[in-house]
Amino acid sequence: MFKLIIADDERLIREALSTTINWKDLDIELTGICRNGIEAYDMILDESPDIVLTDIRMPGMSGLDLIRRTSEAGIPVQFILLSGYGEFEYAKTAMQYGVKHYILKPYDDQQIIDCIQQCKKDCCQVRLNSRPGMEHFTAQSNILHNVMSSIFNDCICQDRRLDSILDNYEQYIDFHFTSYKLLYVYYLAFENLEHFLGLIKDYVKKNLPQTIIYGVYVNHTLLLFFQNTGNNCRQLRTFIEQLSLPEQDVTLETQLTTYSSLKNLLEDAVCKLKRFGMIYYINNFHAIYTCNYNNVISQLQALYTQMLQGGTDSLAQVEELLNGISNIEFLKQLTGNLLLKITASQPSQSTLELTNWLIQLDRETDLALLREMVLTKLKDIIQAGLISAQYSSMTQQIFDYVHKNLQDSNLSLKGIAENHLFMNVDYVSKKFYRETGKKFSHYLTEMRIQHAKDLMKANPSASIQTIAMQIGCGNNPKYFSQLFKKQEGITPTEYMGK
């Protein structure tokens, strides 16, 4: 599902846009409706929408200023401009920032719908083009496979409710707003599974680079699912249907289904998988027997809990359990799963730190050294777990980052979440609000205004333009003055004259 924000200073137009079009049928979540450009920019910082439908002429901050600031902040938003003015100069200025859609008032709903459909295609392409480097992608893939494996283990083997399970992993993956494809492959014999997965791995590497393919195999049926990025999934389906496998008497059949969110897909899949006892999770195109895996992870979790509570024999038991694992790939998978469960319940652990550690883990080829790494990491996590704080590590990292980079006019929660925390931005936004009682945009404005007041007190002769640049409002003293008056009730000049 794609997130949309509407911004227009005319109430009737806002209401018409929000109510006359069935956004849900277009796979659109209407995230917010704004009265002016400043409100829209704050909401973009907080919600990281995919599409913004905005008027050009608005008080405080125009639609063009909104596009410029969003572009400079590096937030990938598809804009649709609405205007009652037909001057080409507006469209030409907007085009400099990559805006393709410009609709003149009065408009009809079909024009809006056509633009939205095109923007959705552009959003999919932007997501593909913004994939991380290969090493980062490998680490991210390992984490997300561990997440998905844990979810299936918890749902099927422990018979836990899906909602309570997903709550533990929202920091790693978006379960609610991203569309997914589920591809069923029927009549796949177990003896052909590894060979089949090898062929799919080679195809994906060549044709769907940096696409994470999840999978579950049960009773001659393989379920493959992945983010919806356009027609590439249809090509994968055609490739599978044309495969010829050794000793495969029955022709493979497929079925492709689209889900508006990963949560909906998992609800459907888990309900069907619960009927079977022999279940294999497909981790990076390798089949792992879920039930055996679950028994080992349960033992490790129980021992970790005892260690955290001061159990003196638990560390030796963990070491003994690890020594019994002779497959290095299985140990890597097991370790990643365990650490995800631990860090999900212990917020003092940094996701960036865990990501970097998993990269080192994946590079290690010596089984003995790998066991030693795991034991050392567990000891470090236990020590960190004894330290409590008013805010979680995630929120504290946001505070620190904003403090050090306040002069950056392009600060956004999306940028911090994806490039500094390596977390899902929707999870970060909700958790930040839950812990601080403030949206990120409000917190950022408060910090900037407080810093401006400190600067004005320290140097009363400083120009408004200089202060605007020092607090992150860029070369835009007018915007700074508007923010200051909105926050303090008076202009910066009046404040300095007090």
Side-chain angles (χ1 to χ4, degrees), residues 38 94 138 199-200 238 268 280 289 317 347 381 425 428 467:
I38 292 179
T138 300
L199 295 175
I200 297 300
T238 301
D268 195 6
Y280 293 84
Y289 182 41
Q317 294 179 54
I381 292 177
V425 65
V428 172
I467 292 173

Side-chain angles (χ1 to χ4, degrees), residues 270-483:
V270 167
C271 181
K272 297 174 181 177
L273 292 171
K274 280 185 176 182
R275 300 196 298 264
F276 303 95
M278 298 282 289
I279 299 170
Y280 293 84
Y281 179 74
I282 309 303
N283 186 321
N284 285 312
F285 303 101
H286 293 288
I288 297 177
Y289 182 41
T290 301
C291 294
N292 285 343
Y293 181 86
N294 186 64
N295 291 335
V296 178
I297 196 70
S298 297
Q299 292 181 59
L300 276 173
Q301 277 190 275
L303 289 171
Y304 168 78
T305 302
Q306 294 175 25
M307 291 166 64
L308 197 59
Q309 295 171 351
T312 55
D313 298 330
S314 302
L315 187 60
Q317 294 179 54
V318 169
E319 188 170 7
E320 181 180 352
L321 185 59
L322 295 178
N323 287 336
I325 300 174
S326 58
N327 186 295
I328 192 168
E329 294 301 324
F330 179 71
L331 181 55
K332 288 179 180 180
Q333 164 76 5
L334 186 71
T335 301
N337 189 302
L338 176 65
L339 290 178
L340 279 168
K341 289 179 177 294
I342 291 172
T343 53
S345 61
Q346 187 171 315
S348 60
Q349 293 300 304
S350 163
T351 304
L352 176 59
E353 179 187 351
L354 175 60
T355 302
N356 291 335
W357 189 85
L358 285 174
I359 290 175
Q360 298 176 30
L361 181 83
D362 191 59
R363 291 172 177 167
E364 185 55 64
T365 57
D366 187 290
L367 186 59
L369 291 177
L370 188 66
R371 293 185 184 121
E372 185 177 340
M373 282 179 64
V374 175
L375 286 171
T376 301
K377 185 65 175 176
L378 286 173
K379 291 177 183 177
D380 292 343
I381 292 177
I382 289 169
Q383 182 62 36
L386 301 177
I387 303 171
S388 61
Q390 181 182 359
Y391 297 105
S392 69
S393 173
M394 182 210 79
T395 299
Q396 192 59 57
Q397 288 182 74
I398 294 174
F399 289 160
D400 294 341
Y401 190 88
V402 169
H403 177 73
K404 294 175 183 177
N405 298 275
L406 196 59
Q407 74 284 356
D408 182 359
S409 61
N410 298 327
L411 270 181
S412 71
L413 191 60
K414 182 177 178 66
I416 296 174
E418 294 182 349
N419 302 319
H420 182 66
L421 298 175
F422 298 102
M423 289 184 176
N424 173 264
V425 65
D426 290 312
Y427 169 83
V428 172
S429 176
K430 292 173 185 175
K431 188 173 178 65
F432 184 86
Y433 182 78
R434 189 163 58 244
E435 290 190 12
T436 65
K438 303 173 184 176
K439 290 190 174 183
F440 174 78
S441 60
H442 295 168
Y443 165 73
L444 182 60
T445 297
E446 287 179 359
M447 293 301 100
R448 282 179 165 157
I449 298 305
Q450 184 56 53
H451 187 43
K453 289 159 66 176
D454 293 341
L455 291 172
M456 286 187 282
K457 289 178 182 178
N459 186 8
S461 61
S463 69
I464 300 300
Q465 184 171 5
T466 299
I467 292 173
M469 295 184 68
Q470 289 177 324
I471 68 164
C473 287
N475 189 21
N476 194 339
K478 180 180 178 181
Y479 174 59
F480 163 56
S481 297
Q482 290 169 342
L483 282 185

